[in-house]
Amino acid sequence: MSHKVLILSYFFPPMGGAGTQRFAKFVKHLPSFGVTPVVITTRGVKNRFAPDGDNSLLQDIPKDVRVERIEEPTEGAFRDRVAAWMPNAIETAERVGREERVGAMIVTCSPFELAAAGETVGSKLGVPWVLDLRDPWALDGWMAYRTRWAWNAEMTRMRRAFASAERVIANTPDVCEAFRRAVPEVDPTKFMVITNGWDEEDFASPNRPERPPTLSNKFVIAHTGSFQSSALYPPTGPVAAAKALLRHRPEPIDVRGRTPYFLARALAQLRFDRPDISEAVRIVLVGRSDDATMRCFREAGAFDLVTSTGYLPHRESVGWLFEADALFLPLHGLPAGRRSLLVPGKTYEYLASGTPILGLLPEGDCRDWVTEAGNSAVAPPCDESRAASAVIQLVERWKAGEVQRDRPEIAARFERRQLTRRLTEVLSDIGISSASGISA
């Protein structure tokens, strides 16, 4: 069988953002294992996380990798643009797959509409296809469906894709188990885990920023990427209220956890309880800061403690992981006894930096790994008093000169080359060979 694999990925460099990096890194490392990637993607460069794109990510794509870029509409809702893009993407994938004589196909989602393309193109080419999921799809509590019936329809599409794919890759162990429980009719051995990760080359010589005078001698807590702060300020009025009554979430989550809400309130609380701590702390938002995020800090009374860099190329963002004194990692709240299915993509780079993490996290893989790292402070996601205690713990350790910044052992399992090795093992399992055998 061919050693070539066809990859359908809507998000791909020069698009920026965490969703782009997963397969950019796989494409970077696959050739060293004797597997040749062939990519079908969009011509687009903008998304809401990186409005101007990120050309630095193109450095990860080998020059000899074939990348076919399909035009997409520039106007309209995101799902409508994807739907309009799909027919040309499917036609191109089938044509390129035949030209390259690929031995398998990988479809990485979201957007989840792409899963149908795997079934269609895989069948026409007569090759097995692998479904790679960067999110828990219909099990994701963050996704709010218009009605419960809309969610049931999405569950049906998910089940069909799972039945059709040769393998289904989840990005966390908890998600993998949740998929198996949700679709017991599908062979459980079909599901496997390949997490997100970090790339050793990005960390070899990080481009550390120079702190401005306002941050001199301050305890800097950095957050990379974006918050989901718009959830704090939903639309109001009778129409919005009616839609909210019909809306269905797969999990009962507290959306405030994926915003700076509890950190901001904790800092405001510390102004009164521990002014020595609040005076020492500054927040640096490394990435695009929307109006809702800044409003959240302003309403809490912590706006003067915040600095924003705006969107930075990925390698400059990595530099802040080393310059900061702690890294902020929030997740949504869940009822007691429930484990979160999500691990933010930034988690892996946070761990690899060795910088202490301020984690406001529910039970789940993310909390387990941050706790295992050993040098961080972890509190429940929606408890401002315990968040304040975690800040105090980190700042007092910093003042005493007791901060440990060594890379924890756990980080090694998330390095991108090791994750790519696992992907080649999946391809080997379904029959795709390498050019000269899967190499070490």
Side-chain angles (χ1 to χ4, degrees):
M1 181 177 277
S2 169
H3 64 276
K4 293 183 178 181
V5 59
L6 185 66
I7 295 169
L8 180 60
S9 179
Y10 185 90
F11 295 103
F12 200 73
M15 276 194 184
T20 300
Q21 294 167 31
R22 180 174 174 88
F23 260 82
K25 297 298 186 179
F26 282 142
V27 168
K28 171 184 176 179
H29 290 294
L30 276 171
S32 68
F33 289 93
V35 176
T36 301
V38 181
V39 181
I40 309 296
T41 187
T42 68
R43 287 191 181 276
V45 299
K46 297 182 178 182
N47 61 43
R48 65 188 181 93
F49 303 109
D52 297 318
D54 188 345
N55 286 326
S56 71
L57 295 177
L58 287 170
Q59 298 173 28
D60 287 325
I61 311 305
K63 299 297 184 185
D64 56 350
V65 167
R66 182 174 181 180
V67 180
E68 291 283 335
R69 300 185 180 275
I70 313 302
E71 292 283 0
E72 62 169 323
T74 58
E75 303 294 333
F78 176 69
R79 297 194 74 167
D80 293 337
R81 299 200 310 271
V82 172
W85 175 79
M86 284 284 291
N88 285 340
I90 289 173
E91 180 182 345
T92 302
E94 182 183 355
R95 172 178 57 79
V96 171
R98 293 189 189 283
E99 291 172 358
E100 297 288 344
R101 298 184 178 182
V102 299
M105 180 179 184
I106 302 174
V107 177
T108 181
C109 299
S110 60
F112 301 109
E113 289 83 353
L114 271 64
E119 182 176 1
T120 299
V121 177
S123 176
K124 289 184 176 181
L125 294 178
V127 300
W129 72 283
V130 175
L131 176 59
D132 174 77
L133 291 166
R134 303 189 308 277
D135 298 290
W137 198 342
L139 307 185
D140 187 353
W142 187 258
M143 295 293 294
Y145 292 87
R146 289 181 294 106
T147 64
R148 185 177 183 87
W149 297 276
W151 174 71
N152 285 333
E154 196 70 12
M155 283 289 293
T156 298
R157 284 188 284 272
M158 186 178 80
R159 289 190 176 98
R160 174 171 176 168
F162 287 177
S164 171
E166 193 73 18
R167 294 287 187 274
V168 177
I169 300 174
N171 69 350
T172 75
D174 279 338
V175 170
C176 188
E177 289 306 310
F179 283 157
R180 287 171 175 157
R181 291 193 301 269
V183 287
E185 70 275 14
V186 175
D187 180 0
T189 64
K190 180 181 288 192
F191 298 94
M192 54 202 54
V193 179
I194 302 179
T195 67
N196 287 315
W198 60 279
D199 194 320
E200 184 68 64
E201 288 189 13
D202 292 342
F203 284 70
S205 55
N207 184 13
R208 293 182 63 158
E210 182 177 346
R211 288 196 187 190
T214 54
L215 300 181
S216 178
N217 300 318
K218 298 297 184 181
F219 183 84
V220 172
I221 302 174
H223 175 272
T224 63
S226 301
F227 291 106
Q228 303 287 348
S229 300
S230 60
L232 295 172
Y233 309 104
T236 58
V239 174
K243 289 182 177 179
L245 285 174
L246 290 173
R247 194 173 297 127
H248 176 75
R249 288 186 185 273
E251 290 182 295
I253 68 171
D254 188 334
V255 299
R256 295 174 299 169
R258 289 184 71 179
T259 77
Y261 181 85
F262 292 98
L263 174 62
R265 292 175 68 87
L267 293 174
Q269 176 182 320
L270 290 172
R271 285 191 188 275
F272 296 96
D273 298 343
R274 291 290 303 272
D276 59 314
I277 298 293
S278 65
E279 173 56 30
V281 172
R282 293 295 183 271
I283 309 299
V284 175
L285 305 180
V286 184
R288 197 164 174 244
S289 299
D290 58 16
D291 292 341
T293 293
M294 305 315 286
R295 175 181 172 184
C296 176
F297 279 107
R298 187 179 297 108
E299 290 178 348
F303 183 75
D304 59 313
L305 304 181
V306 180
T307 298
S308 177
T309 68
Y311 183 84
L312 295 179
H314 179 239
R315 295 195 179 185
E316 292 184 35
S317 175
V318 168
W320 270 105
L321 304 185
F322 293 90
E323 183 59 30
D325 300 295
L327 302 169
F328 182 46
L329 184 62
L331 258 179
H332 52 248
L334 285 166
R338 295 189 70 128
R339 288 175 64 85
S340 171
L341 300 182
L342 297 184
V343 176
K346 62 176 66 70
T347 305
Y348 307 95
E349 293 190 330
Y350 279 18
L351 289 170
S353 73
T355 300
I357 295 171
L358 171 61
L360 304 187
L361 304 168
E363 296 294 329
D365 290 321
C366 189
R367 185 182 178 113
D368 291 348
W369 294 338
V370 171
T371 301
E372 185 179 340
N375 67 340
S376 299
V378 178
C382 300
D383 186 327
E384 63 196 70
S385 294
R386 294 179 69 178
S389 296
V391 172
I392 292 171
Q393 177 186 338
L394 290 171
V395 175
E396 289 186 335
R397 193 188 305 166
W398 169 73
K399 287 184 173 182
E402 298 174 352
V403 177
Q404 297 179 353
R405 299 181 71 108
D406 296 331
R407 180 177 294 165
E409 291 185 8
I410 189 176
R413 75 179 76 162
F414 305 125
E415 204 282 319
R416 293 285 190 183
R417 181 171 170 79
Q418 299 305 316
L419 299 174
T420 307
R421 182 193 301 275
R422 177 65 180 127
L423 181 59
T424 62
E425 291 169 355
V426 173
L427 294 172
S428 179
D429 287 343
I430 65 174
I432 191 170
S433 64
S434 67
S436 56
I438 300 299
S439 61

